[in-house]
Amino acid sequence: MSALNISLPESIQAFIEQQVAKGNYGTVNDYIIHLICQEQAKIARVESLLLEGLDSGESIELTDEWWETKRSQLVQGVQDTQE
């Protein structure tokens, strides 16, 4: 494992130390590693969802006309539920 030195504002350093003191993490390193792993998982999830979307069906061109039609359908749907 390699070392990484970073500078943090005092308020963030205090927050990190509070998290460790609460007993949720053994060390500051554990907390930082946990945060980075969470971020990696979020990125992987977004990439997975994007790929799923790409594979979900036939693609269409999103033109100004398409967006206007969708907007009109949405407005009409809202109006229908209010009647």
Side-chain angles (χ1 to χ4, degrees), residues 11-76:
S11 61
I12 293 177
Q13 179 70 28
F15 176 80
I16 292 170
E17 290 170 358
Q18 288 172 354
Q19 297 306 304
V20 174
K22 287 180 183 178
N24 298 328
Y25 306 93
T27 66
V28 168
N29 284 345
D30 292 341
Y31 181 67
I32 300 297
I33 289 170
H34 173 78
L35 293 176
I36 293 169
C37 288
Q38 280 186 321
E39 186 66 16
Q40 287 176 324
K42 281 194 279 184
I43 291 169
R45 177 73 176 137
V46 168
E47 288 174 351
S48 173
L49 290 171
L50 288 171
L51 290 172
E52 183 181 323
L54 288 172
D55 294 336
S56 67
E58 192 173 322
S59 63
I60 60 171
E61 184 178 352
L62 301 180
T63 62
D64 289 341
E65 181 180 324
W66 185 90
W67 283 111
E68 182 57 33
T69 300
K70 285 298 177 186
R71 187 192 70 74
S72 296
Q73 290 171 346
L74 177 61
V75 168
Q76 185 62 48

